[in-house]
Amino acid sequence: MKKNKINFSLMLIVSTIAGGTFFFSCSKNEKEVAPLSPGHYSSPLSAAPYTACPNVANADNPYDQVGVIHNDGLDYALMHQAEWPCDRGAMTQKAIELTTNFCCENGYGQPGDCYAATSGLVTGTVNTYQSNSIDDIINANGSNALKNYTHSLMDEINSYTDSTQIDSLLTSIKQLEGQVTASTLNADEKRTFLESASVARYSACYWFQETQKQASVWGHCPGNPIPAGKYNWTKLLVVVCADVAGYIVGNVPGGIGLSTVVASI
């Protein structure tokens, strides 16, 4: 496995949770966190899949819809951008609220009292990321075989260097999905990886498009777009890596939440 390291500074909003500055690394250390169950969902937010990149979908992944849901959640947060406060602490709460509302309104939230349970899950995802590296999250997730496949997924993301296109990364992720599908992982672990990989593909597509714009609308304050230079290649890789880790910790709500947070630096 590649040993390159990336530190992640997670601030503000942009995926739907944050508050303060958190530092993560894809390198290993001794900390571990308890794994959470894979995400569950009912029906897609919209009939048509998210197709921002021509090759983003993978018909061979039975859980491909998870990535679609992830990007729909980002669009939902963006639709409510006029509500984003400029204060980082207040934005943390707004991000949690928007993620919770999206998930509960569309059947992707937690059972029982959906709003309370989902808000707690997203908040817990933030707290977990305050004290654990991305490697920590992976190393607490399932069998050694699943951990190795997930580390390989992160390596593909972290080592990708072609800022002119995203297709080669999408292809590499699909190849890993094929390996997992044919592997001896049990059904639950296959689902966990395939859903995480779907989030990785659709997130990479979403944020790659953002890097192509002259200015990003994902600014912290409403009406204050971020210059294109701030959405450089390193930023894209940071967000995608965090999206996958957010899904591992908090399934669909966690993935959407972290994505919103990291993207609004």
Side-chain angles (χ1 to χ4, degrees), residues 117-130:
T118 303
S119 177
L121 177 61
V122 177
T123 301
T125 301
V126 176
N127 293 337
T128 297
Y129 277 86
Q130 288 178 313

Side-chain angles (χ1 to χ4, degrees), residues 103 147 153 245:
C103 290
K147 294 172 189 176
L153 174 62

Side-chain angles (χ1 to χ4, degrees), residues 93-173:
Q93 297 307 311
K94 175 56 67 173
I96 293 171
E97 175 189 330
L98 290 174
T99 296
T100 299
N101 290 346
F102 168 78
C103 290
C104 291
E105 289 170 12
N106 295 286
Y108 313 133
Q110 300 299 286
D113 184 343
C114 185
Y115 286 87
T118 303
S119 177
L121 177 61
V122 177
T123 301
T125 301
V126 176
N127 293 337
T128 297
Y129 277 86
Q130 288 178 313
S131 57
N132 294 274
S133 73
I134 289 181
D135 263 1
D136 294 337
I137 300 303
I138 296 173
N139 290 335
N141 182 45
S143 67
N144 286 336
L146 176 59
K147 294 172 189 176
N148 289 337
Y149 281 122
T150 309
H151 280 302
S152 294
L153 174 62
M154 291 299 190
D155 283 345
E156 290 294 339
I157 297 168
N158 288 334
S159 62
Y160 196 70
T161 58
D162 189 350
S163 61
T164 66
Q165 52 91 20
I166 204 73
D167 284 354
S168 298
L169 176 59
L170 301 179
T171 298
S172 296
I173 293 172

Side-chain angles (χ1 to χ4, degrees), residues 50 63-72 195 198-200 202-203:
Y50 189 94
Y63 308 109
D64 198 57
Q65 191 65 27
V66 171
V68 178
I69 294 166
H70 174 271
N71 286 8
D72 278 345
E195 291 183 341
S198 177
V199 169
Y202 282 88
S203 172

Side-chain angles (χ1 to χ4, degrees), residues 16-247:
T16 301
I17 49 183
T21 302
F22 315 135
F23 295 94
F24 310 119
S25 171
C26 285
S27 62
K28 299 178 182 176
N29 59 38
E30 300 303 317
K31 298 178 183 176
E32 288 195 355
V33 295
L36 298 178
S37 59
H40 298 282
Y41 52 90
S42 53
S43 57
L45 175 65
S46 55
Y50 189 94
T51 55
C53 303
N55 300 316
V56 65
N58 184 4
D60 293 328
N61 183 339
Y63 308 109
D64 198 57
Q65 191 65 27
V66 171
V68 178
I69 294 166
H70 174 271
N71 286 8
D72 278 345
L74 296 180
D75 285 343
Y76 179 92
L78 199 56
M79 263 185 354
H80 292 267
Q81 190 183 42
E83 303 170 23
W84 295 0
C86 293
D87 176 78
R88 291 185 181 181
M91 188 56 225
T92 299
Q93 297 307 311
K94 175 56 67 173
I96 293 171
E97 175 189 330
L98 290 174
T99 296
T100 299
N101 290 346
F102 168 78
C103 290
C104 291
E105 289 170 12
N106 295 286
Y108 313 133
Q110 300 299 286
D113 184 343
C114 185
Y115 286 87
T118 303
S119 177
L121 177 61
V122 177
T123 301
T125 301
V126 176
N127 293 337
T128 297
Y129 277 86
Q130 288 178 313
S131 57
N132 294 274
S133 73
I134 289 181
D135 263 1
D136 294 337
I137 300 303
I138 296 173
N139 290 335
N141 182 45
S143 67
N144 286 336
L146 176 59
K147 294 172 189 176
N148 289 337
Y149 281 122
T150 309
H151 280 302
S152 294
L153 174 62
M154 291 299 190
D155 283 345
E156 290 294 339
I157 297 168
N158 288 334
S159 62
Y160 196 70
T161 58
D162 189 350
S163 61
T164 66
Q165 52 91 20
I166 204 73
D167 284 354
S168 298
L169 176 59
L170 301 179
T171 298
S172 296
I173 293 172
K174 291 177 186 178
Q175 289 172 347
L176 278 173
E177 292 171 79
Q179 293 175 28
V180 168
T181 298
S183 75
T184 58
L185 289 180
N186 65 44
D188 286 342
E189 290 197 328
K190 285 183 179 180
R191 175 172 182 162
T192 296
F193 180 87
L194 293 174
E195 291 183 341
S196 299
S198 177
V199 169
R201 280 186 284 104
Y202 282 88
S203 172
C205 173
Y206 190 102
W207 298 114
F208 175 73
Q209 283 206 322
E210 207 65 25
T211 67
Q212 307 306 299
K213 298 177 181 177
Q214 294 200 358
S216 173
V217 294
W218 279 96
H220 178 46
C221 296
N224 183 27
I226 297 176
K230 287 201 69 175
Y231 267 88
N232 57 28
W233 195 248
T234 299
K235 176 65 174 286
L236 178 145
L237 299 179
V238 166
V239 178
V240 176
C241 216
D243 287 359
V244 176
Y247 171 79

